[in-house]
Amino acid sequence: MAYFIQLAFAGLAQGCIYALVALGFTIIFKSSGVINFAQGEFLLVGAFIASVATFEWGLNFFLAVFIALLITVLIGVLFERFALRYMIGRPAFAIIMITIGLDILLRTGVVMTGKANERPPATPYGIASGVNYGGVHFGENALWTILVTLICCVALYIFFRYTRYGLAMRAAAIDQEAALAMGVNIRLVYALAWGIAAAVATIAGIFLAINVTTFDSTLGSIALFAFPAIILGGLDSIPGAVVGGVVIGLVQLLTQGYESHIANFVGIGFDTITPYLLMIIILLVRPYGLFGTRKVERV
Amino acid sequence: MSVHSQLPQLSVAGITLRFEGITALDDVSFDVQRGELFAIIGPNGAGKTSLLNILSRVYQPSHGSVLFEGRDLLRLKTHQIARAGIARTFQNQGQFPLTSVLDYLLLGRHIHMRSGIVLGGIYLGPALKEERANRAYCQHLLDLMGLAPYRDFPMGSLPYGLQKRADLARALAMQPRLLLLDEPVAGMSLEESRDLAAVLLDIKEQLGITQVLVEHDMAMVMGIADRVLVLDFGRVIAQGQPAEVQANPAVITAYLGQEVQRAPSPGSVAHS
Amino acid sequence: MTIRPALRMTIGALTCFAILAVFLVGCGTNNGGGSLKTDFGVDTSAKTISLGILTPLSGPVAAPIGIPLTKGIETYFDAVNASGGIDGYKVKLIERDTQYDPQVEVSDYQQIKNQVAMFAESLGTPTTQAIVPLSANDHILVSAATLDSYLAREPYMVLIGTPYRLQVENAFDYIVKKLGVQHPKTGIIYQDDGYGQDGLTGYKEAMACYGLKNVGEATYEATDTTFTAQAAQLKASGAQYVFLTAIPTAAAGIIGTAHAIGYDPHWVLQSPAFASGLLQVKGLNTLLEHEAWVVGQGAAWGDTSVPGMAEMLQNIQKYDPGQQPDGYFEFGYTEAKVTYAILKKAFDNHDVTRAGLLNAFNSLNNVDVGGLYPTLHYGSAPNQRVPSRDNTVYSIDSSVAGNLKSLSGDFTGSCAEQSQF
Amino acid sequence: MIAAMATLSLNILSGYTGLISLGITFFMGIGAYTAAWLGGPHPFFPGDPVGLNLSIFIWLPAAGVVAALTGALVGPTALRLKGFYLAIVTLALVFIGLYLFKNARAITGGPQGRIFPTPSFGDLSFSSPTPVFGVLLTTNQWYFLLLTPLLALMALFVHNVMRSRAGRAFQAVRDNETGAAIIGVNLFQAKMSAFIFSSFLAGIAGALWASYPGGYAEPNTWNLILAIQFVAAMLVGGVASVWGSILGAAFVFGLPLALDTFSLIPQSTSNTGLTSGDLSAILYGLLIILFMLFEPTGVIGFIRRVTSLIQRFDERAKVKGGVKANASEPVELES
């Protein structure tokens, strides 16, 4: 039982990281209809800058995180402003490709600093701190990951629900032209979406880096598991992204933990595909995801 | 065969269509006789295009039946409609902007051709023969429609009127027995409309193809249609000879009311 | 004067043909140079011999492994050239960046193979695997920086160290024979690729040899970002000694996560699983110093009692003063020494053709690398071609240069002795 | 050139039919392992993966056929989806493929990888320099001789398909699904044919990719990065264009080579700064962005634009005073 809880807890924490990445995807998709394949690299860049700021520049953890946030948000907003804005109305995969271009740029940029290997993460606490209860260790990082994800969700909820810009973003998501007609500043909406996505990705990246103890330039590949999460939850649903992320995290950790018991049957690395299998099943049953909206097509 | 010619070619009964609580069509029924030019008119948002979408199996009605030459259309899939002998033109152009005019017509010949990937890839023997014959057919049609000079132009590069004309040519290339026309003169100049009306009459008289014409422009319809059906808010408000319909007070109110509503915002001629 | 088009075409074709013929055949002949037989990569007029280097100089593998290792080779040959070269021939290195990608490696190989006498370096297992059949066809020797056991079967592969498989066996030899732990409860976590499989093979052989009680096996993917499942699984199994056939970031993740969930077995790291960078991580450094060993090879950095180390440090001062202590540098330097031995022997035989080099390599028998690595053995049968079966178990100590301190000294375990290739 | 074949295959599906796929390497892998199973050498050491050592005339077509069958199997599920959903499902396919390839040890050699057959005709082996008519051809030259006609054949075939009935249907589906259906195109059938056709070519390209010239590949060869490179090649070269596929592949896969060969940057290990690999990665990322922004029709579009400009210039020169100047006629071909 302790084994199961340990796994489930880790799955929850991992799922929260997926959820944060998925949130970024969904927010951008909802506001501008773009899937940002570079989302994972925001995690890497964020974690990397935080690490460099702590270890090379000797800054305080929170200051380092602040700088990391600042830079990633800036990258996100600038990319939107100077590249994506000219892509409106282009076919979907041209847009996918341009974000993949950004992905390559960001990752190679980090590699080229020559400091990307066995990078120690910026962290405010020791690697093993946490509480033990009933033979299960509840790591401090995992607890903070879950808490901060919750805070992010609540903050975003309040933002979308009660602030002017949040309302503008929601309006734009529902009907761009109508929103424009009502005086919503679409450009600001796009910039906000990218900024928020970059920020949540950075937060996820910092937690993820602490979780893996050391990281290298492949940290961003985690975003690939956020795809099943967003599909699971529904591409255009923000709560869906969170639920999807958590579900994927749980499923993955549990298969990882139990697959050796059925290794002869499923072989090695089964956990790498369970999220995708789950996603495909969902797509067959409910193509618009658990919380997504069904689209009516018109001629 | 003789039975067919006495029965209406197209028989629509009790069609009701609902979208998320809105009733777009409410108990619409009508018959179209073989060789007839039947027009459906009505103000914007009356449900004309929705009706056409049901006939071409894009929308699934909640109630009602559609019989075409004795076959239940509602049991066919979208792509089978064309094989059943029904062709349709599109209200909005620009759906195939990259296709050349000739290729667009050849696309219309799709249902009359057979070769698949393997034959097409080899491009010899039967495929070549078929391709040549159909290209000749389309070329002929282009000549007839006065589109020959634009043969290799991408559809998207043609002026609007020519696009509509090419679209009509494509529908004819399908050699249908029933032609559905979705606002064929919308956005055209007066002169272009007149030309098109003449083409429609030619189709009727020379080719004998039954036509169902959905149109906003009342004047044009009254001049050429054999019978007219008027829709307003999804309901049939009048049906009959053009002259009868024109005199119908309900029709006048519907149209006038609309004109009054639209008056404050001139220039915004939106299509439903 | 006008040439008719047809004629012009013929002439053009002939010219092309001639160029092609020269290109194909030209360098294949024996062009004298005293009694020295040469074919590819030897310029008898400029007195140079060219060697190929296929190594990642970009991408994630470059900074931690590719670059230091290549520098080791460069430094050694700088020293050789400065002292007059080999029989008066200067060594020229032709380097290509493989990005650790087999496809790129193959195209790099094709590009320069006719310019070089042999390859002084091919870094990486998947990359080297990709050129194995090519090198056999071209009859060209390849010195490979990989410890994959499979490659020992290949006649054109020059290996340097003790294969991964034997590393695992020697590590458990140390635990059972030297430390006297009888029937230890053991486990392994390995990467889901060829490297991990090699470790796993060694682990299974060691289980049979030393009567280990295998209680847990787990695998991870190179893309994994959480190691809780693996750590929790091994924790549940209660293994006392856990072997890690992993890359450094994964090793760090596993050790860190396991500690966090209250599991601290004795970790034994396969040599590539350790990197000095890991010691920068708060908390992890103490774990590593107290709970982890690394099994590997070679003299500890700065141990000048070893003549080869003293020489290497001097050469670093002269040719590459900025170099930090680095095991991969040492590996490259040692690898270059073996290459030198092959070349020297070939020059002594007055035959530096590819056939001559293979001949020299097969008759090399022992190569003394000045104690940097144990004496290496070569031969023509697979079992003889395993250059070394020795290993050293190190503890991790951030206070010493290179961060590794020998615990066991150099030894060959009984299991590794008998392993068949 | 093999890359060109793969890009061509992708172009059928994504360029002509408009179905976004990131899963081409899955089908390439299937083709490659079929080839390895049928054409690979007999196991030498116990535990080596199987190989039946059959002729290239069997394994090469078989690679295509098995990949096509797989396509037929996967198609009905995948094709229910559109746009980003399809992209993500095909991405999942890559991962499922990696998992299958790693576990099907008997055929794939497991994570260790395996040897693939090299093309040979009777005594003629492509894996070693062989003299023919007194001329010694290197392996590379042999491959060139084999691949050129094969690629030409494929290109011609695809070109033919695209100008005949099936190809017109593909393009109609891409431009407007509902419209195409109304005209009488069976959407499912058209998409399936495109999917299967594309898989077939991908399978052949995969078999050749694995055989060239090292003849060794790990399951990880068939990863997402490679798939994305093909998408990039297609977009850079030109969507829905046979020549574009070939140019794009040459561009994307030739760029790092060109940078190396012409040593545009000094190769040096003494500084950890700029290396050719990193530089080409940066360039490549940047180029994708720039191409997407400024030349969405790819290299081929650029070439067409230039030639049409020249033509226009020529015509203007011919028709003096612009009596028949075609200014009103749209000349620019965007495809």
Side-chain angles (χ1 to χ4, degrees):
Chain A
M1 195 57 200
Y3 182 62
F4 176 81
I5 294 173
Q6 185 75 67
L7 284 178
F9 178 68
L12 189 65
Q14 185 76 4
C16 283
I17 290 171
Y18 292 149
L20 288 175
V21 184
L23 266 177
F25 277 120
T26 309
I27 289 170
I28 292 179
F29 181 78
K30 240 178 122 78
S31 68
S32 58
V34 171
I35 293 263
N36 173 24
F37 271 63
Q39 193 71 14
E41 285 348 298
F42 283 118
L43 269 80
L44 170 66
V45 172
F48 181 73
I49 293 170
S51 168
V52 169
T54 325
F55 290 92
E56 320 271 322
W57 310 336
L59 296 180
N60 165 290
F61 170 75
F62 294 98
L63 197 58
V65 170
F66 179 72
I67 291 175
L69 278 171
L70 209 64
I71 296 178
T72 50
V73 167
L74 206 64
I75 294 174
V77 172
L78 288 179
F79 179 70
E80 190 281 319
R81 173 66 187 81
F82 290 105
L84 268 180
R85 188 159 298 170
Y86 303 100
M87 298 294 291
I88 295 167
R90 293 281 182 74
F93 65 143
I95 294 173
I96 291 184
M97 276 320 291
I98 198 166
T99 62
I100 288 177
L102 176 68
D103 177 282
I104 295 170
L105 276 187
L106 290 180
R107 188 176 48 240
T108 318
V110 169
V111 168
M112 274 172 62
T113 60
K115 291 174 179 160
N117 287 92
E118 288 98 37
R119 198 69 231 167
T123 166
Y125 32 74
I127 56 170
S129 56
V131 286
N132 282 296
Y133 185 80
V136 180
H137 178 87
F138 296 95
E140 187 169 355
N141 185 48
L143 289 171
W144 277 113
T145 308
I146 296 167
L147 188 69
V148 171
T149 307
L150 276 175
I151 294 172
C152 282
C153 292
V154 171
L156 284 173
Y157 178 79
I158 293 171
F159 173 76
F160 283 120
R161 190 93 214 199
Y162 298 109
T163 67
R164 224 181 96 209
Y165 298 114
L167 285 172
M169 289 183 73
R170 276 172 58 205
I174 295 164
D175 188 338
Q176 203 130 308
E177 281 175 29
L180 256 176
M182 283 156 60
V184 169
N185 184 346
I186 288 283
R187 293 178 174 198
L188 185 68
V189 166
Y190 288 175
L192 269 174
W194 277 81
I196 294 173
V200 288
T202 301
I203 294 169
I206 286 163
F207 281 123
L208 181 66
I210 301 172
N211 192 34
V212 294
T213 315
T214 62
F215 66 98
D216 59 24
S217 56
T218 60
L219 191 77
S221 62
I222 190 176
L224 293 173
F225 289 113
F227 284 127
I230 51 174
I231 297 271
L232 198 66
L235 257 182
D236 56 355
S237 160
I238 289 180
V242 178
V243 175
V246 171
V247 170
I248 293 292
L250 281 174
V251 167
Q252 198 178 17
L253 258 289
L254 291 177
T255 34
Q256 212 169 36
Y258 287 99
E259 73 180 357
S260 63
H261 302 285
I262 44 169
N264 291 332
F265 181 60
V266 296
I268 49 175
F270 189 60
D271 59 291
T272 54
I273 63 161
T274 39
Y276 293 107
L277 291 180
L278 189 68
M279 171 186 93
I280 290 173
I281 293 168
I282 288 287
L283 279 176
L284 291 180
V285 187
R286 269 178 82 94
Y288 38 93
L290 294 176
F291 300 90
T293 44
R294 193 200 289 258
K295 283 238 164 72
V296 180
E297 292 198 31
R298 286 162 201 272
V299 189
Chain B
M1 273 318 189
S2 60
V3 182
H4 269 174
S5 54
Q6 279 149 26
L7 285 176
Q9 189 180 22
L10 177 73
S11 165
V12 175
I15 288 290
T16 301
L17 175 72
R18 287 201 185 88
F19 281 129
E20 294 162 24
I22 303 158
T23 305
L25 291 170
D26 188 6
D27 195 24
V28 175
S29 304
F30 61 92
D31 289 338
V32 180
Q33 300 299 330
R34 197 172 287 271
E36 194 176 23
L37 206 169
F38 186 86
I40 300 171
I41 62 168
N44 282 331
K48 302 180 303 270
T49 297
S50 294
L51 189 56
L52 222 53
N53 277 339
I54 285 174
L55 294 183
S56 48
R57 293 292 292 120
V58 180
Y59 292 163
Q60 175 72 31
S62 343
H63 296 286
S65 71
V66 181
L67 287 178
F68 175 66
E69 297 177 349
R71 283 173 82 179
D72 183 1
L73 269 196
L74 298 183
R75 299 175 76 171
L76 298 183
K77 294 214 171 101
T78 315
H79 67 264
Q80 290 169 327
I81 293 289
R83 273 184 209 280
I86 301 178
R88 143 174 202 183
T89 65
F90 300 105
Q91 180 190 149
N92 299 313
Q93 293 302 312
Q95 288 159 329
F96 302 96
L98 308 179
T99 317
S100 77
V101 174
L102 177 64
D103 276 341
Y104 191 48
L105 261 65
L106 281 166
L107 186 62
R109 299 296 298 161
H110 184 84
I111 47 170
H112 298 289
M113 295 169 77
R114 309 177 64 86
S115 69
I117 286 182
V118 178
L119 282 176
I122 298 166
Y123 213 71
L124 288 171
L128 188 59
K129 217 170 123 190
E130 184 185 53
E131 192 74 19
R132 279 199 183 134
N134 282 288
R135 270 169 200 263
Y137 179 91
C138 293
Q139 183 64 50
H140 180 65
L141 207 56
L142 286 176
D143 291 339
L144 279 181
M145 299 284 286
L147 287 165
Y150 310 102
R151 198 180 81 145
D152 296 320
F153 281 58
M155 286 289 287
S157 71
L158 296 183
Y160 195 72
L162 282 178
Q163 284 192 32
K164 289 226 142 187
R165 187 179 276 253
D167 192 33
L168 181 60
R170 186 268 311 153
L172 288 176
M174 293 165 71
Q175 293 181 304
R177 292 189 296 284
L178 171 63
L179 186 56
L180 306 176
L181 299 153
D182 194 357
E183 305 215 5
V185 299
M188 280 189 179
S189 68
L190 199 63
E191 195 186 338
E192 283 174 326
S193 310
R194 233 176 258 152
D195 282 355
L196 198 98
V199 172
L200 295 187
L201 284 175
D202 280 352
I203 292 172
K204 178 184 153 190
E205 275 147 29
Q206 290 175 18
L207 303 173
I209 298 172
T210 315
Q211 295 172 77
V212 172
L213 169 67
V214 160
E215 190 47 71
H216 181 74
D217 182 345
M218 204 146 103
M220 183 254 185
V221 167
M222 295 306 170
I224 59 171
D226 296 323
R227 279 194 304 139
V228 178
L229 176 137
V230 187
L231 280 180
D232 192 22
F233 293 111
R235 279 175 300 110
V236 179
I237 55 172
Q239 193 172 178
Q241 306 286 325
E244 289 169 36
V245 168
Q246 237 164 344
N248 190 319
V251 177
I252 296 167
T253 328
Y255 263 81
L256 277 182
Q258 230 231 341
E259 292 302 327
V260 172
Q261 269 177 7
R262 267 172 48 185
S265 61
S268 66
V269 186
H271 304 293
S272 60
Chain C
M1 182 186 164
T2 53
I3 303 174
R4 278 181 301 133
L7 186 63
R8 200 156 60 191
M9 245 166 70
T10 319
I11 292 174
L14 279 177
T15 319
C16 287
F17 192 76
I19 291 167
L20 194 70
V22 170
F23 169 67
L24 292 168
V25 190
C27 32
T29 50
N30 175 359
N31 30 9
S35 60
L36 189 67
K37 275 172 76 183
T38 62
D39 50 11
F40 295 91
V42 183
D43 186 335
T44 44
S45 51
K47 288 228 155 196
T48 59
I49 178 162
S50 299
L51 307 177
I53 303 257
L54 304 175
T55 187
L57 297 175
S58 65
V61 189
I65 305 178
I67 292 171
L69 200 146
T70 311
K71 277 188 185 172
I73 299 173
E74 287 173 353
T75 304
Y76 181 75
F77 283 117
D78 281 348
V80 167
N81 287 344
S83 61
I86 312 168
D87 281 12
Y89 278 79
K90 296 273 164 69
V91 174
K92 221 173 95 190
L93 300 177
I94 301 180
E95 290 174 8
R96 284 290 181 270
D97 177 12
T98 65
Q99 302 165 31
Y100 206 72
D101 177 338
Q103 299 283 344
V104 178
E105 166 116 358
V106 166
S107 87
D108 286 345
Y109 169 92
Q110 297 284 11
Q111 265 183 47
I112 60 171
K113 69 172 185 197
N114 287 336
Q115 304 166 29
V116 300
M118 67 175 277
F119 284 91
E121 162 75 333
S122 161
L123 194 154
T125 302
T127 40
T128 303
Q129 287 271 25
I131 60 164
V132 162
L134 294 173
S135 65
N137 275 319
D138 297 329
H139 307 289
I140 186 165
L141 284 178
V142 176
S143 176
T146 157
L147 300 178
D148 186 45
S149 336
Y150 280 78
L151 290 171
R153 291 170 178 173
E154 305 295 339
Y156 287 91
M157 289 292 133
V158 182
L159 303 183
I160 309 302
T162 304
Y164 297 130
R165 189 174 135 192
L166 303 187
Q167 283 189 352
V168 191
E169 293 166 22
N170 285 331
F172 285 107
D173 188 275
Y174 176 75
I175 291 164
V176 176
K177 295 268 179 70
K178 298 263 171 33
L179 299 183
V181 185
Q182 290 307 305
H183 305 292
K185 283 164 103 180
T186 59
I188 182 170
I189 300 178
Y190 57 96
Q191 183 161 313
D192 187 7
D193 63 2
Y195 163 54
Q197 291 296 314
D198 212 19
L200 185 64
T201 312
Y203 179 72
K204 287 188 170 151
E205 283 185 359
M207 260 161 58
C209 285
Y210 301 114
L212 309 178
K213 260 178 75 187
N214 172 36
V215 290
E217 282 174 27
T219 168
Y220 74 92
E221 293 282 319
T223 50
D224 278 358
T225 48
T226 164
F227 300 98
T228 310
Q230 290 87 346
Q233 203 180 320
L234 267 291
K235 182 189 182 188
S237 78
Q240 303 161 277
Y241 293 90
V242 180
F243 200 90
L244 296 180
T245 307
I247 52 172
T249 41
I254 292 166
I255 296 172
T257 310
H259 178 72
I261 62 169
Y263 177 51
D264 293 289
H266 216 102
W267 304 100
V268 190
L269 276 61
Q270 193 101 53
S271 57
F274 178 70
S276 301
L278 300 189
L279 293 171
Q280 283 186 45
V281 184
K282 244 191 290 174
L284 186 67
N285 51 355
T286 42
L287 282 180
L288 286 170
E289 290 185 342
H290 290 105
E291 299 176 356
W293 295 330
V294 178
V295 53
Q297 219 172 10
W301 192 278
D303 179 3
T304 41
S305 65
V306 177
M309 179 56 74
E311 175 209 294
M312 186 177 90
L313 292 178
Q314 274 175 14
N315 284 334
I316 288 176
Q317 281 230 306
K318 271 192 229 160
Y319 304 107
D320 187 17
Q323 182 61 45
Q324 296 296 307
D326 188 303
Y328 289 108
F329 181 94
E330 193 179 334
F331 189 103
Y333 192 88
T334 312
E335 192 180 3
K337 272 180 172 273
V338 175
T339 308
Y340 174 82
I342 298 169
L343 295 175
K344 180 76 184 119
K345 185 133 198 165
F347 272 103
D348 287 350
N349 296 340
H350 302 290
D351 184 358
V352 282
T353 60
R354 286 185 178 168
L357 286 167
L358 176 69
N359 217 351
F361 171 55
N362 282 336
S363 59
L364 212 51
N365 295 326
N366 294 340
V367 181
D368 179 14
V369 287
L372 281 175
Y373 271 52
T375 301
L376 306 172
H377 318 277
Y378 296 97
S380 45
N383 273 326
Q384 296 170 336
R385 298 173 34 74
V386 178
S388 158
R389 293 174 185 237
D390 292 13
N391 278 115
T392 305
V393 177
Y394 304 91
S395 63
I396 297 165
D397 186 343
S398 51
S399 63
V400 303
N403 299 321
L404 294 177
K405 213 166 75 183
S406 168
L407 287 177
S408 66
D410 208 31
F411 72 100
T412 301
S414 55
C415 194
E417 197 77 70
Q418 299 152 8
S419 269
Q420 295 299 307
F421 282 81
Chain D
M1 269 197 286
I2 301 169
M5 292 182 196
T7 310
L8 203 56
S9 139
L10 184 67
N11 224 333
I12 294 168
L13 193 61
S14 303
Y16 286 105
T17 318
L19 302 168
I20 307 172
S21 170
L22 297 174
I24 183 174
T25 47
F26 171 73
F27 296 103
M28 287 176 74
I30 297 273
Y33 286 117
T34 308
W37 174 43
L38 294 173
H42 292 300
F44 185 68
F45 293 102
D48 275 2
V50 291
L52 301 178
N53 210 7
L54 299 172
S55 131
I56 184 172
F57 294 109
I58 297 172
W59 65 253
L60 195 57
V65 170
V66 174
L69 286 177
T70 317
L73 212 68
V74 179
T77 313
L79 293 178
R80 289 175 54 174
L81 306 162
K82 290 178 194 168
F84 287 117
Y85 285 92
L86 182 63
I88 292 170
V89 167
T90 50
L91 179 145
L93 219 48
V94 173
F95 286 96
I96 292 172
L98 289 181
Y99 163 77
L100 291 178
F101 298 153
K102 271 183 191 160
N103 283 294
R105 278 161 200 271
I107 292 173
T108 66
Q112 214 103 42
R114 70 161 292 159
I115 295 175
F116 287 83
T118 42
S120 60
F121 298 100
D123 290 339
L124 273 181
S125 169
F126 280 70
S127 56
S128 56
T130 320
V132 163
F133 309 124
V135 187
L136 191 77
L137 292 177
T138 64
T139 314
N140 269 340
Q141 287 159 332
W142 265 120
Y143 264 88
F144 194 78
L145 286 186
L146 170 74
L147 293 178
T148 311
L150 210 59
L151 176 62
L153 210 67
M154 271 191 196
L156 182 70
F157 195 89
V158 173
H159 175 72
N160 281 341
V161 168
M162 292 311 158
R163 61 179 177 156
S164 62
R165 177 177 176 264
R168 279 193 295 269
F170 293 167
Q171 293 168 61
V173 170
R174 172 196 63 198
D175 292 340
N176 188 317
E177 286 200 2
T178 320
I182 290 171
I183 294 172
V185 176
N186 184 337
L187 292 183
F188 181 75
Q189 200 181 39
K191 286 182 181 181
M192 270 306 276
S193 340
F195 204 72
I196 292 172
F197 184 24
S198 161
S199 306
F200 178 80
L201 291 191
I204 288 185
L208 292 169
W209 185 267
S211 89
Y212 176 81
Y216 162 87
E218 283 188 347
N220 274 331
T221 308
W222 317 108
N223 61 18
L224 186 66
I225 296 168
L226 186 63
I228 286 173
Q229 280 183 312
F230 289 120
V231 178
M234 176 181 75
L235 290 171
V236 168
V239 172
S241 155
V242 170
W243 275 109
S245 304
I246 295 168
L247 283 175
F251 192 79
V252 168
F253 292 89
L255 179 71
L257 277 184
L259 280 178
D260 265 355
T261 316
F262 304 116
S263 334
L264 295 177
I265 3 145
Q267 286 238 355
S268 160
T269 50
S270 49
N271 62 342
T272 49
L274 210 59
T275 59
S276 69
D278 287 337
L279 185 76
S280 66
I282 285 273
L283 257 179
Y284 165 64
L286 211 58
L287 275 171
I288 291 177
I289 295 182
L290 292 177
F291 259 102
M292 291 303 103
L293 277 176
F294 301 114
E295 195 55 70
T297 49
V299 177
I300 206 78
F302 181 71
I303 293 174
R304 277 187 197 154
R305 195 174 295 191
V306 170
T307 46
S308 82
L309 256 175
I310 294 170
Q311 265 172 16
R312 207 185 300 193
F313 192 76
D314 277 359
E315 278 171 35
R316 205 165 287 172
K318 275 181 210 155
V319 187
K320 260 192 188 168
V323 182
K324 243 196 132 187
N326 47 2
S328 62
E329 289 175 6
V331 179
E332 217 162 88
L333 253 175
E334 298 235 338
S335 76

